[in-house]
Amino acid sequence: MEGGGRPSAAQAALLAASTAITALLYSVYRQKARVARGLEGARRVRLDGDLRSVLLEAPGRCVPYAVIEGVVRSVKETLSSQFVENCKGVVQRLTLQEHKMVWNRTTHLWNDYEKIIHQRTNTTPFDLVPAEDSTGVTVRVMKPLDAAELSLETVYEKFHPSVQSFTDVIGHYISGERPKGIQETEQMLKVGTALTGVGELVLDNTTIKLQPPKQGMPYYLSSADFESLLQKQESSARFWKILTVVFGFATCAVLFFLLRKQYRHHRERQHLKQMQEEFRQAQERLMNAEGGETLKNACVVCLSSTKSCVFLECGHVCSCHECYQALPEPKKCPICRQGITRVVPLYNS
């Protein structure tokens, strides 16, 4: 603590940082908990012949947050894999990723570094249909790339190592970068994949559409079932809750430490004031009892007897012989705290 009981700059910065981190974690936790509660409260509808009737009865022909499960089917034409024969899908993502080693001048180690140098995503309109496809009811999926948990299956992956000459190796060591190669990946959402969609379900004329919800809730297209998706979000909320509680306790501990320091400082000041007041009262009693002349030569320890000792080597005349005898070993001057080597009696005439 600094003078006046105020916390030091480092202590104040620690408290501010801990409070800010706790507030940030709590904000993330609230968002995750809100998502989990919204997902738990989403209305589950079946992809069957009654779906159109359900939407006709809903306000505005819309279910704001609904869960529906079905199988992917393309509307018109499908996307074909560039590398795998007879692999058809409705979403295709081609990625080129660079892999290299980068020299860290701080740790003096080579670290792996990855960078996407090119990525292209192709889509084609698709529907969700029942697994048996016996009712003829379909749900058009809108804006699939906006969905979280979009399940794309990796259908092709190949690593192309870089070819380096001896001169290239020397140059890479000098520059601090060693290329490892290029990884080529193709991911697809295949036709026939079972999907769980969570979003706004609306009847637009004769078309049933699944689209991103308007109230800010997440939009999901996941190959996992609804229970697994809900459990994942609840686990994420619990994780952030634990982090919030841990940092909250740390913030409370720092605050308690600072308040305790300030309280102890306050107690010390009160004790010092009390001692000063007692000393003042003792002075007043001496002034009243002996007219003030004895006060000038009064022992600084007992304030009642006359000073009768000269302390060497400091030379202070500050106590009577009885108080000198009562000083603890090793004896030190009450004024300057210097060690007393010998004592010379003082005779007042």
Side-chain angles (χ1 to χ4, degrees), residues 67-98:
V67 180
I68 192 166
E69 298 176 347
V71 175
V72 173
R73 187 183 71 181
S74 61
V75 175
K76 296 180 181 178
E77 49 186 38
T78 58
L79 301 174
S80 299
S81 170
Q82 295 187 4
F83 306 98
V84 181
E85 294 183 0
N86 300 322
C87 183
K88 304 290 185 180
V90 293
V91 178
Q92 178 189 50
R93 179 171 294 162
L94 301 170
T95 305
L96 290 178
Q97 190 174 38
E98 179 186 15

Side-chain angles (χ1 to χ4, degrees), residues 115-179:
K115 177 184 177 182
I116 295 178
I117 57 179
H118 178 73
Q119 188 175 77
R120 185 177 79 250
T121 303
N122 304 317
T123 62
T124 187
F126 67 95
D127 294 336
L128 291 181
V129 300
E132 296 80 11
D133 198 16
S134 58
T135 61
V137 179
T138 62
V139 174
R140 180 67 49 83
V141 178
M142 311 300 295
K143 300 181 180 180
L145 298 183
D146 292 347
E149 306 284 339
L150 180 60
S151 301
L152 298 180
E153 180 183 350
T154 301
V155 297
Y156 176 82
E157 187 174 21
K158 186 175 181 180
F159 184 77
H160 303 277
S162 59
V163 179
Q164 305 175 26
S165 64
F166 180 75
T167 305
D168 295 334
V169 172
I170 298 299
H172 296 154
Y173 271 97
I174 295 175
S175 64
E177 294 186 0
R178 293 163 48 190

Side-chain angles (χ1 to χ4, degrees), residues 91-120:
V91 178
Q92 178 189 50
R93 179 171 294 162
L94 301 170
T95 305
L96 290 178
Q97 190 174 38
E98 179 186 15
H99 293 258
K100 61 182 178 181
M101 303 287 288
V102 177
W103 177 255
N104 190 317
R105 290 180 173 82
T106 303
T107 61
H108 299 285
L109 295 173
W110 289 96
N111 299 327
D112 288 322
Y113 177 78
E114 299 176 358
K115 177 184 177 182
I116 295 178
I117 57 179
H118 178 73
Q119 188 175 77
R120 185 177 79 250

Side-chain angles (χ1 to χ4, degrees), residues 123-322:
T123 62
T124 187
F126 67 95
D127 294 336
L128 291 181
V129 300
E132 296 80 11
D133 198 16
S134 58
T135 61
V137 179
T138 62
V139 174
R140 180 67 49 83
V141 178
M142 311 300 295
K143 300 181 180 180
L145 298 183
D146 292 347
E149 306 284 339
L150 180 60
S151 301
L152 298 180
E153 180 183 350
T154 301
V155 297
Y156 176 82
E157 187 174 21
K158 186 175 181 180
F159 184 77
H160 303 277
S162 59
V163 179
Q164 305 175 26
S165 64
F166 180 75
T167 305
D168 295 334
V169 172
I170 298 299
H172 296 154
Y173 271 97
I174 295 175
S175 64
E177 294 186 0
R178 293 163 48 190
K180 296 173 62 178
I182 302 295
Q183 184 173 350
E184 189 174 16
T185 306
E186 182 182 24
Q187 297 173 298
M188 296 191 72
L189 178 58
K190 292 182 179 180
V191 174
T193 302
L195 279 187
T196 299
V198 184
E200 183 182 72
L201 203 60
V202 60
L203 178 61
D204 185 7
N205 294 327
T206 59
T207 305
I208 302 175
K209 296 180 179 180
L210 179 67
Q211 59 191 16
K214 294 183 176 63
Q215 68 269 31
M217 295 298 293
Y219 179 40
Y220 292 103
L221 289 174
S222 174
S223 59
D225 57 23
F226 176 70
E227 285 73 18
S228 300
L229 187 61
L230 177 60
Q231 185 178 6
K232 181 178 180 180
Q233 300 306 318
E234 290 176 342
S235 299
S236 177
R238 283 195 299 269
F239 171 76
W240 287 102
K241 181 179 180 179
I242 292 173
L243 281 183
T244 303
V245 170
V246 169
F247 275 87
F249 273 119
T251 302
C252 292
V254 173
L255 182 60
F256 173 77
F257 172 78
L258 296 181
L259 291 177
R260 181 172 175 269
K261 283 283 188 180
Q262 193 167 9
Y263 173 73
R264 292 178 61 183
H265 178 79
H266 175 72
R267 288 286 301 273
E268 291 174 358
R269 290 185 60 186
Q270 291 295 109
H271 183 64
L272 179 61
K273 287 182 179 179
Q274 183 180 357
M275 292 180 62
Q276 290 174 344
E277 180 64 21
E278 292 176 354
F279 182 75
R280 185 186 63 80
Q281 292 176 0
Q283 286 180 328
E284 291 179 353
R285 287 195 300 269
L286 285 174
M287 289 287 291
N288 295 333
E290 303 180 12
E293 184 63 27
T294 309
L295 180 63
K296 297 180 181 178
N297 295 322
C299 171
V300 299
V301 180
C302 64
L303 297 177
S304 57
S305 301
T306 305
K307 301 174 184 177
S308 60
C309 298
V310 180
F311 295 151
L312 300 177
E313 301 294 330
C314 64
H316 282 121
V317 180
C318 58
S319 81
C320 61
H321 183 72
E322 289 77 8

